[in-house]
Amino acid sequence: YDFLVIVEGNSLQEISSFVIIQGRSNIYSRISKLLQKATGVVYLVGPPEDFMRMYHTTIPERIQEIKANGAEVRILTEISGDKELSFIDRLNPSEIRLGKLPSKSRMVVEENKQLIMSGALTSSMDLNDENDSVMHTNSAEMVRNMFSLCSLLWNKSKPAEILTASKTKKARIQ
């Protein structure tokens, strides 16, 4: 009875959930699920290796689907080599920016909706790394705070300049 009173007194969106997800394949599935229904601005923040691993999941398709529905997908990562950047570019986000990140962790924030956040990531390329874990929440306060942090980092970063194969070929011809 007490739970029913609580639920009736609050809209379901006001009840925050807080879940820990363990294992890299489970984490990428959860990120893909977050992206599936995302609207507005979505930040994906993390080290280049994390985005390179994401390329081998359903995340690239999810990015395309939500962009087609009007969402904006912003990837923010540390400065890396052209090889890493070309891989990250294959995720085909709305924009990629490079800047100094406060840590080697991962953040996925959907504006006003939900947040996935990890501690420091290992550089292992193993998609089945069981030591990787994240926290997933829809807590309005946490989502707002992390979205503000991502916006600040985004504004301090620089747009990535990606050399595509066709540009490289043109440069060699001249």
Side-chain angles (χ1 to χ4, degrees), residues 82-131:
D82 288 340
K83 180 183 168 199
E84 288 90 355
L85 264 178
S86 67
F87 249 97
I88 297 167
D89 190 47
R90 289 185 199 170
L91 295 174
N92 202 10
S94 307
E95 188 176 351
I96 300 170
R97 287 200 181 178
L98 304 174
K100 185 81 178 108
L101 300 181
S103 71
K104 290 263 183 222
S105 64
R106 162 198 310 121
M107 272 191 292
V108 180
V109 190
E110 180 187 7
E111 189 173 17
N112 300 320
K113 300 248 176 89
Q114 50 190 332
L115 160 70
I116 292 177
M117 198 168 112
S118 74
L121 298 174
T122 63
S123 56
S124 151
M125 289 303 282
D126 184 2
L127 282 173
N128 296 313
D129 187 341
E130 290 303 316
N131 295 318

Side-chain angles (χ1 to χ4, degrees), residues 5-61:
V5 172
I6 292 168
V7 171
E8 286 174 355
N10 296 302
S11 79
L12 286 176
Q13 288 182 332
E14 290 177 31
I15 298 174
S16 297
S17 67
F18 186 91
V19 181
I20 302 294
I21 294 110
Q22 181 104 22
R24 192 166 282 155
S25 59
N26 295 332
I27 291 166
Y28 289 148
S29 293
R30 183 61 67 114
I31 291 170
S32 185
K33 191 173 177 182
L34 179 152
L35 290 171
Q36 197 166 10
K37 294 180 180 153
T39 58
V41 175
V42 179
Y43 283 105
L44 286 95
V45 180
E49 306 83 38
D50 199 36
F51 295 113
M52 290 171 68
R53 286 187 297 259
M54 286 181 191
Y55 180 71
H56 302 287
T57 68
T58 58
I59 293 170
E61 294 101 79

